[in-house]
Amino acid sequence: MNIAKKKTTIILVVLAIMVLTLCLPNLTLAKKVNMLSVVKADDSERVRLSDLLQAISEYSDENDYDQYLKTYSNSNRPNRTIRIEGEEYIETKGGNFEIVDNYMGLNEEAVLTPESGTISWKIRIEEAGLYNIRIHYFPVEGKSAAIERAILINGKTPFKEAELVLFDRVWGNRDAEIKRDDRGNDLRPLQVEKPTWILAPIVDKTSYYEEPYLFYFDKGDQIISLVSLREPMAIDYIELYREEQIKTYEQVKKTYEEEGLKPTQNHLIMVQAESAIAKSSPTLYPISDRSSPSVIPYHVSKIRMNAIGGYNWRLPGQWIEWKVEVPEDGLYCIALKRKQDQLRGIYATRSLMIDGKYPFEEMKRIRFNFNRQWQMDVLGDEEPYLFYLTKGTHRIRLIVTLGDIAPLIKIIENSVLKLNEVYRKVVMITSTNPDPYRDYQLEKRIPNLLETLSEQAEIIQKVADYLLQLTGEKSDKVVPLYNLVTQLQDIVKRPETLPRRLDTFKVNVGALGTWLLTVKEQPLTLDYLIVFSPGQKLPNAEASFWQRLKHEIGSYFASYVEDYSIVGNVGETDRSITVWITTGRDQAQTIKAMIDDTFTPEKNISVKLRLVPSNILLPATLAGQGPDVAMQVGEDIPVNYGMRNAVVDLTQFEDFEEVASRFHESALLPYRYEGGVYGLPEQQVFPVLFYRKDILEELDLEPPKTWDEVYYMIAVLKKHNLDFYLPVDMSAYAILLYQNGGEFYADGGKRSALDSEIAIDVFRRWTQFYTNYKLPLQADFVNRFRTGEIPIGIAPYNTYNTLVVFAPEIKGLWDFTVVPGTVQSDGTVRHDVASSTSAIVMIKNTKDKEAAWEFMKWWTDKETQVRFGREMEALMGEAARYPTANVEALEELPWPVKDYQNLKEQWKWVRGIPQVPGGYFTGRHLDNAFRKVVNSGENYREALLDHVIYINDEIKIKRQEFNLPY
């Protein structure tokens, strides 16, 4: 009885806490319906921004679009349209260009342009001047990435931004209705391409410039060329034209009055945001929001796809489009139920188009201020905007844009580059560890040092002040700017302190780079849109107190009965297997959707997919409670389990060799043991050489092709206090070992081969990089590559993903190539590298081994790997580009053509490191020997040979344990 009373008391306390939690936020909730204003800077602010842009104009890149416009600022804007038919090209270079007729519903000819090559057209210009360009194109099926082209006029790129212009693909839900699994949860709808012919102006997809690009053409015959960089497209025609001037709302309103247009009455049309008909990216799929019971649809414990956007809808240029049916002609208002809970201290910005056009100027920049609660925003100022819509179907599109902060971001990007350049020049004199008691007289040795720091302090100060005026609050979004300004101003006053403050200077400049990433992203979540007659009462955006109380209590009790580690099934079959996955829920849901979509219908085998911690496989297998198949396990697991008879030897299946042909032998080697193969590779990663093009050019260096060139480069870099990055792990040693014909094991894995003369000499050379050449033993390569301290280094190729996403300020300033090689006696150069992999394995206790094998074959198949790779990149962006081990699948992933060719060239030289009994001692004792040489100064030969004894002893012990000859 006492126990029951205690339980009751505990529940009452929990409920009381919930009530308090619910009440407190409501004390400060703003009114339920906000009049959303499209805020504009007042005249004084605009003058300040104009002054700021003027202040940096002389420091901007002479090849950028700003300078291009400045050069042709006095040119005419001819009001004429010049059309060039796609099939009337005069020349092509590279690639397979083809003229097609009646392509995808087009009633005339077009030209198919591949993902590489150049196509050119001749244009007759009657009136010289600045023209906009638009292209009528069709996004031909490719690798699901945005279409990339460079634009040339008379063989030259007119401005830097024209080196890369993007053309959208169109995506949508594959199925009209959202499906549910057997647990009652909504399944995320698959996104598929819904291609159509598109007429699109050439614009800046980064949103720095709102208006379409202007291109100057002289009078007479001109040549315009498109250079394919990624993805194919069909071109119907190209037009040179003049973009129409968009009217302001006041002008449009005056037109309403002149034409006698009247507001409608008694209409309220709600469009669920998750039912969007088109999107620019597959990442813009419906999402589940359980933050409030007011979201439609809602369930207290089940997953409902009831919103769209969120963090996925954050990148400039992304758009979502909805269809709305209007019952009669007239004037309507538009409201959005939204939540912007991720950008505190700043606002998210969207632009709105109806049927492909901006209704008026103010719709280019709609602000959504920070608020953790759902808000009902009516478009308009104190008086809601009126939109004229005719009876019938209309398309409403919301586009992510940077709005008023676009020039601020461009300015800060410029400042980051200049301050990183200053940091690099200082490091070239002081090194990264300057003597705190030495006066380096930097202000004398670095030309214009103090002037540059002073100018940047003033510019950043103005940006911070302007941002403060735009947002009306001092938040964490402006603190990094003010911190850097304070330091820069103090350094200008006391330049002798700069060496002592070099680390904090670097941190503050790095914070500025992080600020750029944060402010560029504009997340926004939508529940629904409403098109309504003026004066109509709108639904409340937030739930009532009692609704929230019911929601919290229901969620609390549901947490005891819902198992969120299980990904539900769509249907059951006679045959079934259990699969464990150890990564994230997004990956698990994506794989489950693919299973239900293709594997189960084709093979009539249902799959119970469970998301588990990575360390649970061993105890579960030992207890006989493991899965049938385990995915994404480490490289060491298959052979270690195989020698203990815990996983299945896959060579017993008749079609194993056919399946094995999907991979390089280097990917399979770590899973071979005593004639068997105990896993199939899923991912394979190998090193490449990353380098900063701008810094190497500044130092008059080329990416090294051999290690002799690396030694020379290190000397030049060290002279300027810069570094070469070589990772301190077995991968670096493996590069040198394999390039010189060495091996890790001898006699079929019975003993270590690291006591051979080749291995010893390679060990000497490896350690000398850190003893004689003083390469860094520890380094954050990505950040130091970003600042330029380490302008070149060897790293896994998926570092590419990180640099693309997290170092946007150096976009176009870096590249990668094959690692330096070793010259052979015949004059050839070997570029061998070792790879690391992850695998899928079949547990020995599996009852239906044929069903498990069918799943493993399906998962490692080209089509499955391509689809998973594309969906993960669609889900998480380029940072999640999938490093598949399937050779053919990698080619189909959305790599730029040039970058894929670099990867392909390096992949020719990839080798695997075999797994042997006791082989875990190899890496451990190789590192121990390395530390003795580098840290303690021991003789390299003695250090390595001493530790080879330990390695051989462990191999012998393990071979005895498993009754293997030794």
Side-chain angles (χ1 to χ4, degrees):
M1 192 69 178
N2 291 334
I3 294 174
K5 287 183 178 178
K6 287 181 180 179
K7 287 183 176 178
T8 303
T9 303
I10 291 171
I11 291 174
L12 289 173
V13 170
V14 170
L15 292 177
I17 293 171
M18 288 180 178
V19 170
L20 286 172
T21 304
L22 290 165
C23 289
L24 288 175
N26 281 275
L27 295 176
T28 57
L29 280 179
K31 61 183 180 179
K32 301 301 180 185
V33 179
N34 296 328
M35 306 308 289
L36 179 65
S37 60
V38 183
V39 185
K40 288 187 176 181
D42 60 29
D43 290 341
S44 62
E45 289 176 288
R46 288 192 177 281
V47 169
R48 291 192 61 183
L49 180 59
S50 174
D51 291 344
L52 184 53
L53 292 171
Q54 181 63 34
I56 69 155
S57 63
E58 57 187 285
Y59 304 109
S60 61
D61 189 332
E62 62 180 11
N63 295 320
D64 71 8
Y65 185 59
D66 285 325
Q67 293 298 324
Y68 182 78
L69 285 183
K70 189 175 180 181
T71 302
Y72 296 104
S73 58
N74 296 322
S75 300
N76 293 330
R77 293 281 310 279
N79 188 18
R80 60 174 66 201
T81 299
I82 306 170
R83 177 162 167 162
I84 315 134
E85 297 297 337
E87 66 275 12
E88 294 177 358
Y89 57 86
I90 59 169
E91 184 184 25
T92 63
K93 294 179 181 177
N96 182 25
F97 295 84
E98 180 185 357
I99 295 176
V100 291
D101 198 11
N102 299 318
Y103 186 75
M104 295 297 175
L106 187 71
N107 294 324
E108 53 189 53
E109 289 184 328
V111 59
L112 290 179
T113 66
E115 64 174 0
S116 62
T118 303
I119 182 170
S120 302
W121 295 267
K122 181 184 289 186
I123 317 167
R124 183 70 180 176
I125 304 294
E126 300 294 339
E127 186 179 354
L130 290 166
Y131 291 83
N132 300 111
I133 298 177
R134 59 190 175 202
I135 300 179
H136 192 223
Y137 74 95
F138 186 92
V140 178
E141 182 180 355
K143 301 175 182 177
S144 302
I147 299 165
E148 297 181 357
R149 295 293 185 268
I151 296 179
L152 306 179
I153 296 176
N154 297 324
K156 295 182 179 179
T157 307
F159 45 86
K160 184 174 67 177
E161 289 83 352
E163 293 175 357
L164 179 63
V165 294
L166 303 179
F167 297 90
D168 289 331
R169 294 182 176 277
V170 180
W171 299 82
N173 296 349
R174 188 192 65 176
D175 303 311
E177 300 294 330
I178 293 176
K179 297 180 180 179
R180 289 184 182 168
D181 62 21
D182 59 353
R183 303 175 63 82
N185 294 314
D186 282 0
L187 296 172
R188 176 169 59 85
L190 293 173
Q191 301 300 295
V192 296
E193 272 198 76
K194 296 192 172 180
T196 184
W197 283 99
I198 302 168
L199 179 61
I202 295 177
V203 298
D204 175 25
K205 290 294 185 180
T206 64
S207 193
Y208 288 157
Y209 306 99
E210 283 185 343
E211 304 299 329
Y213 285 134
L214 286 165
F215 298 84
Y216 180 80
F217 289 88
D218 280 322
K219 186 175 180 179
D221 289 338
Q222 306 289 302
I223 304 296
I224 183 170
S225 306
L226 290 182
V227 182
S228 301
L229 303 176
R230 180 158 63 171
E231 298 284 49
M233 68 189 292
I235 297 175
D236 176 21
Y237 62 83
I238 300 172
E239 284 186 341
L240 277 58
Y241 72 107
R242 188 170 81 174
E243 188 76 15
E244 291 181 12
Q245 184 70 32
I246 299 172
K247 296 179 180 179
T248 65
Y249 180 66
E250 286 302 319
Q251 293 171 322
V252 170
K253 187 178 178 183
K254 187 176 179 180
T255 303
Y256 292 163
E257 295 170 355
E258 291 172 352
E259 296 180 1
L261 301 177
K262 302 294 183 182
T264 57
Q265 293 183 349
N266 303 321
H267 296 304
L268 191 148
I269 307 149
M270 181 183 291
V271 180
Q272 290 298 325
E274 63 272 16
S275 64
I277 59 167
K279 309 124 184 188
S280 62
S281 168
T283 60
L284 304 176
Y285 47 79
I287 61 174
S288 175
D289 186 288
R290 297 176 60 197
S291 62
S292 169
S294 71
V295 184
I296 302 173
Y298 160 80
H299 193 282
V300 68
S301 62
K302 301 299 182 182
I303 295 173
R304 292 290 177 264
M305 296 297 159
N306 52 15
I308 201 166
Y311 185 70
N312 292 349
W313 193 28
R314 69 190 187 280
L315 301 176
Q318 288 182 327
W319 53 262
I320 303 177
E321 192 168 86
W322 297 267
K323 183 169 65 176
V324 59
E325 191 74 25
V326 175
E328 64 171 311
D329 296 357
L331 301 177
Y332 294 83
C333 298
I334 297 177
L336 309 171
K337 183 183 174 185
R338 60 83 176 179
K339 181 170 63 175
Q340 198 281 88
D341 58 348
Q342 299 185 48
L343 281 180
R344 177 184 287 275
I346 202 168
Y347 49 83
T349 309
R350 295 292 183 272
S351 58
L352 181 142
M353 302 180 83
I354 298 177
D355 298 330
K357 295 183 178 181
Y358 294 108
F360 35 85
E361 179 69 24
E362 287 79 356
M363 288 298 97
K364 287 184 177 181
R365 293 173 296 280
I366 309 172
R367 294 187 189 176
F368 298 91
N369 293 321
F370 175 86
N371 197 307
R372 294 190 185 279
Q373 309 300 324
W374 283 99
Q375 304 287 303
M376 184 71 75
D377 287 342
V378 178
L379 299 184
D381 213 329
E382 296 175 355
E383 178 185 350
Y385 289 130
L386 296 174
F387 300 82
Y388 176 69
L389 299 174
T390 57
K391 180 181 178 180
T393 302
H394 294 273
R395 300 168 77 97
I396 297 177
R397 176 180 294 190
L398 285 174
I399 310 160
V400 183
T401 183
L402 297 175
D404 290 330
I405 65 170
L408 307 185
I409 293 174
K410 189 170 177 61
I411 290 166
I412 294 299
E413 276 191 346
N414 182 280
S415 293
V416 169
L417 284 175
K418 291 195 174 300
L419 291 174
N420 272 333
E421 185 180 350
V422 167
Y423 173 76
R424 203 163 58 244
K425 288 179 179 178
V426 172
V427 165
M428 286 180 178
I429 296 172
T430 68
S431 82
T432 53
N433 296 301
D435 183 345
Y437 302 106
R438 178 180 171 186
D439 183 1
Y440 289 91
Q441 297 185 328
L442 296 173
E443 67 276 19
K444 295 180 180 178
R445 300 174 66 181
I446 301 177
N448 303 318
L449 172 65
L450 300 185
E451 290 84 348
T452 300
L453 295 179
S454 180
E455 287 163 358
Q456 294 306 317
E458 182 181 357
I459 288 170
I460 297 170
Q461 173 83 52
K462 288 182 177 179
V463 169
D465 291 343
Y466 186 74
L467 189 61
L468 197 60
Q469 286 179 281
L470 284 178
T471 60
E473 63 174 310
K474 190 170 185 177
S475 67
D476 61 330
K477 295 298 183 294
V478 295
V479 168
L481 306 182
Y482 283 122
N483 285 345
L484 183 56
V485 168
T486 301
Q487 186 183 46
L488 292 176
Q489 290 173 340
D490 195 53
I491 290 172
V492 171
K493 293 177 183 176
R494 299 184 297 152
E496 72 280 0
T497 65
L498 178 54
R500 297 198 300 271
R501 304 160 74 177
L502 200 56
D503 282 343
T504 55
F505 177 73
K506 173 185 172 182
V507 168
N508 284 335
V509 175
L512 206 59
T514 303
W515 179 91
L516 279 173
L517 287 174
T518 305
V519 174
K520 271 185 177 180
E521 296 178 344
Q522 306 275 304
L524 182 72
T525 308
L526 292 183
D527 182 11
Y528 53 75
L529 302 81
I530 298 179
V531 176
F532 64 100
S533 300
Q536 283 292 108
K537 185 179 179 181
L538 299 179
N540 288 332
E542 261 302 338
S544 67
F545 166 77
W546 295 110
Q547 286 175 317
R548 290 174 62 84
L549 179 61
K550 181 181 177 182
H551 166 72
E552 295 293 341
I553 294 173
S555 297
Y556 172 75
F557 285 107
S559 66
Y560 286 96
V561 296
E562 290 286 347
D563 185 353
Y564 293 104
S565 69
I566 297 176
V567 183
N569 297 306
V570 172
E572 292 292 337
T573 62
D574 294 336
R575 302 172 71 187
S576 174
I577 59 171
T578 300
V579 177
W580 283 7
I581 182 173
T582 61
T583 50
R585 190 167 188 84
D586 285 333
Q587 287 90 334
Q589 288 180 326
T590 299
I591 294 170
K592 191 66 176 74
M594 292 169 58
I595 290 169
D596 294 333
D597 186 45
T598 57
F599 177 71
T600 298
E602 291 174 6
K603 303 297 182 181
N604 199 32
I605 301 169
S606 61
V607 177
K608 297 176 182 177
L609 188 67
R610 183 180 288 270
L611 186 62
V612 300
S614 58
N615 60 354
I616 201 174
L617 183 61
L618 177 59
T621 304
L622 289 173
Q625 302 296 318
D628 298 313
V629 175
M631 301 174 66
Q632 298 170 350
V633 301
E635 187 174 83
D636 60 322
I637 287 179
V639 165
N640 275 293
Y641 278 41
M643 65 181 68
R644 292 167 174 82
N645 201 31
V647 294
V648 174
D649 175 9
L650 303 178
T651 59
Q652 66 181 269
F653 296 103
E654 292 182 359
D655 54 352
F656 169 76
E657 290 301 329
E658 179 186 343
V659 174
S661 66
R662 300 170 179 175
F663 318 102
H664 277 296
E665 173 56 28
S666 58
L668 283 168
L669 182 63
Y671 310 130
R672 293 190 182 277
Y673 170 70
E674 295 295 312
V677 176
Y678 293 90
L680 293 179
E682 294 180 286
Q683 302 179 34
Q684 183 177 24
V685 177
F686 47 85
V688 293
L689 181 71
F690 291 92
Y691 62 95
R692 285 282 298 269
K693 296 188 290 186
D694 56 335
I695 299 176
L696 293 194
E697 184 179 344
E698 185 181 317
L699 299 176
D700 197 25
L701 294 171
E702 293 284 339
K705 294 181 174 60
T706 67
W707 287 102
D708 289 336
E709 294 176 13
V710 170
Y711 292 130
Y712 170 76
M713 173 173 279
I714 291 174
V716 175
L717 293 174
K718 287 292 184 181
K719 181 181 177 182
H720 295 89
N721 289 316
L722 303 177
D723 267 317
F724 183 98
Y725 178 72
L726 187 66
V728 183
D729 57 29
M730 201 161 80
S731 68
Y733 179 73
I735 291 173
L736 295 169
L737 182 67
Y738 283 152
Q739 287 183 6
N740 285 276
E743 298 289 344
F744 278 95
Y745 302 102
D747 297 339
K750 295 178 183 177
R751 65 178 181 86
S752 173
L754 299 186
D755 54 358
S756 67
E757 283 303 316
I758 290 177
I760 293 170
D761 184 61
V762 164
F763 184 73
R764 172 186 63 82
R765 292 174 56 192
W766 181 40
T767 55
Q768 281 180 346
F769 278 115
Y770 307 92
T771 55
N772 295 359
Y773 293 92
K774 304 298 181 185
L775 294 191
L777 287 168
Q778 289 184 328
D780 183 342
F781 174 65
V782 170
N783 272 325
R784 295 183 71 178
F785 186 78
R786 185 179 181 180
T787 61
E789 294 173 60
I790 299 181
I792 186 168
I794 294 173
Y797 84 76
N798 53 357
T799 304
Y800 176 99
N801 307 347
T802 307
L803 290 171
V804 165
V805 176
F806 296 108
E809 71 273 15
I810 59 171
K811 182 179 181 180
L813 301 180
W814 62 272
D815 205 343
F816 72 95
T817 185
V818 295
V819 301
T822 300
V823 181
Q824 306 300 298
S825 57
D826 60 358
T828 59
V829 180
R830 289 181 62 169
H831 297 275
D832 302 54
V833 295
S835 66
S836 61
T837 60
S838 65
I840 179 172
V841 296
M842 187 190 305
I843 305 301
K844 192 72 173 181
N845 293 334
T846 299
K847 293 179 180 178
D848 192 342
K849 290 183 172 57
E850 288 296 331
W853 177 238
E854 287 295 334
F855 179 80
M856 294 176 72
K857 290 193 296 181
W858 169 82
W859 173 243
T860 57
D861 184 58
K862 172 190 169 183
E863 284 72 24
T864 306
Q865 288 287 289
V866 168
R867 179 175 168 186
F868 179 72
R870 291 181 182 176
E871 291 216 14
M872 290 315 302
E873 190 163 344
L875 190 68
M876 302 179 180
E878 286 185 285
R881 184 164 295 157
Y882 185 59
T884 179
N886 186 301
V887 178
E888 293 182 351
L890 185 69
E891 185 176 1
E892 296 299 318
L893 292 180
W895 285 93
V897 176
K898 179 178 69 67
D899 294 334
Y900 172 72
Q901 292 301 326
N902 286 336
L903 277 182
K904 187 177 178 182
E905 183 62 29
Q906 183 64 77
W907 212 352
K908 296 176 184 176
W909 297 97
V910 173
R911 296 183 60 186
I913 299 177
Q915 295 285 327
V916 300
Y920 52 83
F921 255 41
T922 300
R924 188 181 307 174
H925 282 283
L926 184 63
D927 184 67
N928 290 340
F930 174 87
R931 300 293 172 184
K932 282 187 177 180
V933 175
V934 174
N935 297 337
S936 303
E938 288 196 17
N939 178 269
Y940 68 90
R941 180 181 291 270
E942 293 177 1
L944 182 58
L945 292 177
D946 285 348
H947 285 280
V948 168
I949 294 173
Y950 293 116
I951 296 171
N952 282 330
D953 286 346
E954 187 67 16
I955 291 175
K956 182 178 180 181
I957 290 169
K958 287 299 176 185
R959 292 187 73 85
Q960 288 176 328
E961 180 182 337
F962 297 113
N963 298 316
L964 297 171
Y966 55 89

